[in-house]
Amino acid sequence: METIDNSIAVLVRNINPITKLLIVFCLGIGCLIYPLPFVGYGILCLLVILGILIGQGKQVLKLIAGFGIPVTLMLLFIQGLYSPKNITMIADFGFAQMGLEGTMYALKISSTLLIFLAAFYLMLQTTKNSETVAALTQSGLNTKIGYLILASLNVVPQMQRKVKVIQEAQESRGVEISGSFIQRAKAFLPLIGPVVLSSLTDAQERGMTLEIRGFGINGDKPTSYIKVETTSLDIVLRIIAICFLISSLIPRLL
Amino acid sequence: MRQSFFRRFLQTQFSTKALVLIPIAVGINLIGGTLSSTLKLPLFLDMIGTVLIACLAGPWVAALCGLATNLFLSIVTNPVFLPFAIVSVLCGLVTGYMVKAGLFKNGFGVVITWLACTLTNAISAALITIFVYGGATGINSSSLFTAALIATTKEIMLSVFSTSILENLIDKGIVFLIAYWLVKKIPRRFSSQYAPLDKDYLLLKSRKGS
């Protein structure tokens, strides 16, 4: 995580992770419920502006362009041209006709996807994973589940290092990891075998270590080094997020 | 009464020993994916860990492992993977119960498990792709194949489903082959410690006593 210290970045970083999660889900689900796709793209613009303000503009735009453009085109192709809901035709490509209903549907799904993507990305860039898990356990998530999430996040880079070491060792023994398809496929087993078996013994040791420190005790709530606070700003933001969700319901009900 | 049943279920299924396997299995799942992309194989191979853990620690731990894998993928790479957690959970459960029924002991059983898992995976993944994403997720090249099929058959449902079943048959076949080979390599002395506690005489007795 890069640290950019303008005042907005600090403000965003200090928001309670639960508030951020709530905002992400309210934005995404609100856009899904609202009948027209344009609200979604408006919010996407706001998210990009927020990203630029906290110094993540380039990455957010790259993410949206890299994932958003292909998926939008693909959905426009599938739903716009071949959706069974198409009644009103707006364009003719010769081999197929473009329908209004399917196009709208495709745009809505892609806008919702992009909002989830951008909002989630911004949240992850401004929050430490340990803080998110601490906030979730404080508000009632099982501590074991919290441990699982954090441990998975930590174990994976560790295993990737191990793979690298094993790859070098196997290469020095003469295992070819480049070449024809069959040769590459053959290299898979000598790489994954040692990783799996040594990781399993690691897991055994980790289990013993945790058990010694009382991980298996039920009923006791362990204390955490990380304190997460809920400020008045959090409460205001939560209310705004929920209001947005409710207001997106209104055009559906009327 | 119900509460105590649930408690006992949690205690028997999710011992600390089994829980610490989950991060490792998540790691194996992801390493399978990264290895197949570094070796430039056109596969995912992202279920090896789930199958292994289903063999070692039972269906429910495997289901939790599937959930954790997709949670991790959606945090680290792309939130698109989050709805597919249901697919991983179902696959973990199916594989786990098949293993429990003793089907992972010989080649024939492995084939049956493979087919069952492929079917579960293909159907649930296709349903999610259609109803959540409208036909394509754009995360791999199979979306292009789906689009081509839709252009020829003009049927969204059929095209998504046939793409899904094709790629799963090949992918899961290799996953199960590798997993079977790996399970054979794990020493008995190691795997016996994860023997399921379902009918654990001592645990049930102490529960009754308290």
Side-chain angles (χ1 to χ4, degrees):
Chain A
M1 194 162 53
E2 288 171 48
T3 44
I4 295 133
D5 285 320
N6 61 36
S7 55
I8 300 169
V10 172
L11 193 73
V12 173
R13 217 174 292 147
N14 286 336
I15 298 172
N16 190 322
I18 302 245
T19 314
K20 288 183 203 167
L21 265 182
L22 190 75
I23 292 172
V24 170
F25 279 100
C26 283
L27 282 182
I29 292 169
C31 291
L32 193 66
I33 294 171
Y34 195 80
L36 290 172
F38 307 110
V39 179
Y41 287 109
I43 288 172
L44 197 63
C45 289
L46 289 181
L47 281 174
V48 171
I49 293 170
L50 180 70
I52 292 167
L53 284 179
I54 61 172
Q56 295 279 349
K58 219 190 230 168
Q59 289 93 320
V60 173
L61 281 174
K62 210 191 253 171
L63 197 69
I64 290 176
F67 173 72
I69 291 172
V71 92
T72 311
L73 287 178
M74 198 86 83
L75 281 172
L76 276 176
F77 179 77
I78 293 176
Q79 293 289 339
L81 298 182
Y82 299 106
S83 170
K85 279 179 280 181
N86 284 339
I87 304 162
T88 341
M89 295 302 167
I90 49 172
D92 198 342
F93 287 104
F95 64 96
Q97 285 181 320
M98 190 142 192
L100 184 67
E101 286 80 7
T103 310
M104 282 314 212
Y105 183 66
L107 284 178
K108 207 172 90 174
I109 288 191
S110 83
S111 72
T112 313
L113 272 180
L114 284 177
I115 283 174
F116 265 121
L117 188 71
F120 208 64
Y121 178 79
L122 282 180
M123 179 191 156
L124 288 174
Q125 290 303 313
T126 55
T127 330
K128 285 186 189 127
N129 289 323
S130 51
E131 277 175 8
T132 314
V133 173
L136 283 172
T137 32
Q138 265 178 33
S139 48
L141 182 81
N142 191 321
T143 41
K144 286 184 181 170
I145 304 285
Y147 164 77
L148 278 186
I149 299 172
L150 269 186
S152 309
L153 285 169
N154 291 334
V155 158
V156 171
Q158 207 176 315
M159 281 179 79
Q160 266 156 355
R161 278 197 294 277
K162 197 180 274 178
V163 170
K164 214 169 212 172
V165 173
I166 288 169
Q167 190 178 330
E168 276 163 16
Q170 296 284 36
E171 265 179 274
S172 72
R173 285 180 62 218
V175 172
E176 299 263 354
I177 65 159
S178 56
S180 70
F181 175 77
I182 296 169
Q183 214 153 27
R184 279 179 278 141
K186 262 198 211 152
F188 193 83
L189 283 183
L191 289 182
I192 198 129
V195 179
V196 169
L197 292 176
S198 67
S199 305
L200 284 177
T201 39
D202 273 3
Q204 194 180 13
E205 278 166 28
R206 196 182 304 246
M208 286 183 217
T209 319
L210 280 167
E211 200 58 53
I212 285 167
R213 285 163 175 74
F215 183 71
I217 296 174
N218 279 319
D220 259 356
K221 207 173 161 100
T223 49
S224 172
Y225 275 123
I226 303 160
K227 284 272 170 289
V228 186
E229 284 169 5
T230 312
T231 57
S232 50
L233 178 69
D234 284 314
I235 294 165
V236 173
L237 283 175
R238 281 179 204 184
I239 291 171
I240 293 173
I242 290 169
C243 283
F244 173 78
L245 190 60
I246 293 169
S247 67
S248 72
L249 265 174
I250 293 170
R252 277 277 155 130
L253 295 175
L254 289 179
Chain B
M1 200 57 216
R2 211 181 144 66
Q3 174 79 27
S4 84
F5 171 75
F6 187 62
R7 265 256 178 89
R8 195 193 302 158
F9 171 78
L10 281 184
Q11 239 166 16
T12 49
Q13 295 288 333
F14 298 104
S15 60
T16 308
K17 253 186 290 184
L19 278 180
V20 291
L21 276 181
I22 291 177
I24 298 289
V26 171
I28 296 171
N29 281 345
L30 295 172
I31 297 288
T34 37
L35 267 186
S36 74
S37 66
T38 48
L39 294 174
K40 301 197 187 64
L41 307 176
L43 304 162
F44 309 113
L45 304 181
D46 57 355
M47 248 192 68
I48 300 172
T50 313
V51 177
L52 270 181
I53 207 174
C55 295
L56 286 174
W60 291 97
V61 181
L64 193 59
C65 162
L67 182 70
T69 307
N70 277 60
L71 210 62
F72 183 90
L73 277 175
S74 60
I75 289 175
V76 175
T77 53
N78 195 329
V80 169
F81 287 105
L82 195 56
F84 289 102
I86 302 167
V87 180
S88 309
V89 168
L90 282 176
C91 276
L93 282 178
V94 168
T95 317
Y97 276 109
M98 292 293 224
V99 171
K100 217 173 170 186
L103 279 172
F104 221 69
K105 288 192 183 116
N106 51 35
F108 179 67
V110 174
V111 170
I112 292 181
T113 323
W114 162 46
L115 291 179
C117 189
T118 304
L119 211 60
T120 325
N121 194 317
I123 293 173
S124 47
L127 287 179
I128 288 173
T129 313
I130 291 167
F131 289 109
V132 182
Y133 296 112
T137 51
I139 38 177
N140 52 35
S141 49
S142 68
S143 295
L144 283 172
F145 186 62
T146 313
L149 265 183
I150 289 175
T152 47
T153 61
K154 312 239 182 312
E155 290 270 348
I156 293 181
M157 201 78 127
L158 184 79
S159 312
V160 173
F161 187 72
S162 42
T163 317
S164 171
I165 213 155
L166 254 179
E167 72 182 13
N168 271 307
L169 259 180
I170 301 168
D171 191 56
K172 296 291 171 295
I174 295 171
V175 164
F176 274 97
L177 260 180
I178 294 172
Y180 184 61
W181 180 77
L182 281 171
V183 167
K184 288 257 147 126
K185 293 262 169 187
I186 296 174
R188 263 281 170 74
R189 187 176 57 80
F190 183 85
S191 53
S192 62
Q193 62 175 320
Y194 297 103
L197 294 171
D198 273 352
K199 297 182 182 91
D200 194 318
Y201 175 68
L202 282 175
L203 199 76
L204 288 177
K205 199 174 178 190
S206 74
R207 282 280 114 189
K208 240 177 239 168
S210 65

